[in-house]
Amino acid sequence: MSQQDMDVDVELTPRQQVPTVLAVGAQVFTVVAALAVGAVALWAIDVNPLVAYDRMLIDTVSTPFQLTRTLNRAAPLILAGLAVYLPLKAGIENIGAEGQIYLGGIVAVWVALNANIPGALLLPAIFVAGFAGGAVWAVVPAYMAAKWEVNEILTTLMLVFVAIQVNEFLINGPMQGGIGAYPRSDQIPDAAVLLEFAGTDVNIGILLAVAATVFVYLLLNVTRTGYEFVLLGSNPDAARQAGVNAFRKSLLILPLGAAFAGLAGMVEIAGNQGQLGSHWSPGYGWTAIPIALLGRRGAFQTMLAGLFFAVLFVGGSSLGVSMGIPAAISDVIEALVILFLIAAEFIRSYRIDVKVDGESVGSSIRQLFATGGGA
C-alpha cells in the first residue's frame, strides 16, 4: 500500500498590528507559564507545587518578617531594573548593571569610611557617591557606543568582571578591614546605615526605589528629553530627521541608567550588608535584565516586576529552610521567565501559520468554529 507524504510548512509573517490580548497579556502569560513549568521541576523532586508556591508567594508577603525581607530586597532590585529599563527605552542595552552595582557599593563604602564630614551629611554623601560610581562606570561604554558604534552589550558585560576583580583587589588590599576569616572591608559607621521606618525593620531603600521610579516615569513621559530618548529607541532615523542629537543622547542615557545600578549597590551595602565582602552582590544586576524585560511597558511596571522578583528571592530562600527545597528553584523560575519572555516577544512580532498540503490549519480551525462545528 502506498502512502503519500504530507507537505507541512510553517510560515512566519510580520504582524502589522499586535492583538490587544497579546499586547496586554504577554507579561501575565509569561509569569503564569514560568510558574506552570516550574511546577514540573517541583513535582520531579516530590514536592507539591501548590504547597511550595503558597509558601513561596503567599507567605512571603503575608507575614511581617518575610514582608520586611521582601521590601528590603526589592529596593536594590527595582533600582537595578530601572538601570536596564531606562537605556532600553532609547534602544541601548545595558547588560552590565551587576558591575555598576559593585562600583556604586565600593565608592559608597569608601566615602563612608574616609569622608571627614558631620554624621548628618554622611548618608546623603554615600547616596551621591553610589549614584556617581555607577554612572562613571558606564561612561566609557557609552562613549564607545556613541562614537564608534561599539556594541554596548559586550563592553558593559566585560566591565562586570572588571568590577568584581576591582572589589576583590580592594578588600584584599587598600580597603581590607580588621582580622577575620574572610577578606572584608570595615563596617560602615552607623551614620551611614539606611534609616528604618518607625516600628519596623524596613529601611528607606524602598522609598528611594519608589522615588527613582517616579523620576524615570516623569523623565520619559513629561519631559522633551524623555520624548527624544523614546523616539531614538523606537525609530532612530525619524529621531535624527527630527533633529535629535543621537550622539549626545546616547552619551547621556547609559550613564544615567547605570547611576541607578550604583544606587542599588549603595542601598544593598548601607541597608543590608554593612560592608564589602567577596562577591557581595547576590546577582541583582543579572536579575535586572528579566525585570526590565518584564516591566518594559513602563517605569511602574518595572517596579512591580522588581517586587515580584524580590518575592521569588525571599520565597525561594525560605523554601530551602521550611521544605528542604533547593533555593535554586527561584533561579529556575527566573530563567523560565526569560525564556517565555523571548517566546512571547516572538509571537508578538510574527504571525505563525502552519500549512498542511497548502491548507492553513489556523484558517481551517477558525472556519470550523464559524460554522458551528462544520454541521
Side-chain angles (χ1 to χ4, degrees), residues 146-167:
K147 184 71 174 178
W148 299 299
E149 298 185 354
V150 176
N151 191 319
E152 73 277 4
I153 295 176
L154 295 177
T155 51
T156 55
L157 178 62
M158 288 190 290
L159 283 177
V160 171
F161 305 105
V162 175
I164 293 173
Q165 292 307 313
V166 168
N167 180 77

Side-chain angles (χ1 to χ4, degrees), residues 265-279:
M266 185 281 286
V267 168
E268 176 63 15
I269 290 293
N272 295 323
Q273 303 201 26
Q275 63 185 155
L276 297 177
S278 182
H279 300 278

Side-chain angles (χ1 to χ4, degrees), residues 190-206:
D190 291 342
V193 175
L194 290 186
L195 304 175
E196 295 178 348
F197 292 101
T200 74
D201 291 328
V202 179
N203 65 54
I204 61 171
I206 190 66

Side-chain angles (χ1 to χ4, degrees), residues 33-348:
L35 293 176
V37 177
V40 176
L42 290 169
W43 252 315
I45 55 175
D46 295 327
V47 174
N48 186 330
L50 295 178
V51 175
Y53 284 152
D54 178 63
R55 295 192 181 180
M56 186 178 190
L57 303 176
I58 305 301
D59 287 359
T60 303
V61 296
S62 60
T63 61
F65 175 71
Q66 292 288 70
L67 185 58
T68 297
R69 292 182 63 205
T70 301
L71 291 175
N72 287 341
R73 290 287 182 188
L77 282 171
I78 293 170
L79 290 165
L82 292 174
V84 180
Y85 165 78
L86 182 57
L88 195 61
K89 296 300 287 183
I92 297 175
E93 294 167 283
N94 178 19
I95 307 298
E98 182 75 0
Q100 295 144 18
I101 287 174
Y102 270 95
L103 257 292
I106 289 170
V107 178
V109 169
W110 188 89
V111 171
L113 295 176
N114 296 284
N116 186 19
I117 57 177
L121 298 179
L122 200 51
L123 201 51
I126 66 168
F127 173 91
V128 174
F131 198 81
V136 169
W137 201 242
V139 167
V140 172
Y143 183 81
M144 293 174 69
K147 184 71 174 178
W148 299 299
E149 298 185 354
V150 176
N151 191 319
E152 73 277 4
I153 295 176
L154 295 177
T155 51
T156 55
L157 178 62
M158 288 190 290
L159 283 177
V160 171
F161 305 105
V162 175
I164 293 173
Q165 292 307 313
V166 168
N167 180 77
E168 296 300 307
F169 166 74
L170 291 174
I171 63 172
N172 284 282
M175 293 180 70
Q176 186 171 17
I179 298 174
Y182 302 100
R184 290 182 176 277
S185 71
D186 284 325
Q187 284 276 348
I188 60 174
D190 291 342
V193 175
L194 290 186
L195 304 175
E196 295 178 348
F197 292 101
T200 74
D201 291 328
V202 179
N203 65 54
I204 61 171
I206 190 66
L207 194 61
L208 294 175
V210 173
T213 302
V214 173
F215 171 81
V216 171
Y217 173 82
L218 294 176
L219 174 67
L220 293 178
N221 294 279
V222 176
T223 68
R224 177 184 174 87
T225 300
Y227 170 77
E228 291 177 346
F229 283 148
V230 176
L231 182 60
L232 197 60
S234 58
N235 193 333
D237 292 336
R240 291 185 180 91
Q241 289 177 3
V244 176
N245 188 326
F247 176 80
R248 188 177 300 172
K249 290 291 180 290
S250 300
L251 203 57
L252 174 64
I253 191 72
L254 184 54
L256 181 58
F260 290 113
L263 199 56
M266 185 281 286
V267 168
E268 176 63 15
I269 290 293
N272 295 323
Q273 303 201 26
Q275 63 185 155
L276 297 177
S278 182
H279 300 278
W280 54 267
S281 170
Y284 292 147
W286 306 121
T287 307
I289 299 169
I291 289 174
L293 293 175
L294 197 60
R296 64 180 179 174
R297 292 178 63 83
F300 289 101
Q301 287 88 337
T302 302
M303 183 180 72
L304 292 176
L307 282 168
F308 171 70
F309 275 94
V311 170
L312 288 184
F313 254 75
V314 174
S317 63
S318 66
L319 283 182
V321 177
S322 60
M323 299 181 68
I325 299 173
I329 192 66
S330 62
D331 296 333
V332 171
I333 295 174
E334 184 180 320
L336 288 170
V337 167
I338 297 173
L339 182 65
F340 283 108
L341 273 172
I342 295 171
E345 180 60 30
F346 185 81
I347 294 172
R348 277 164 53 96

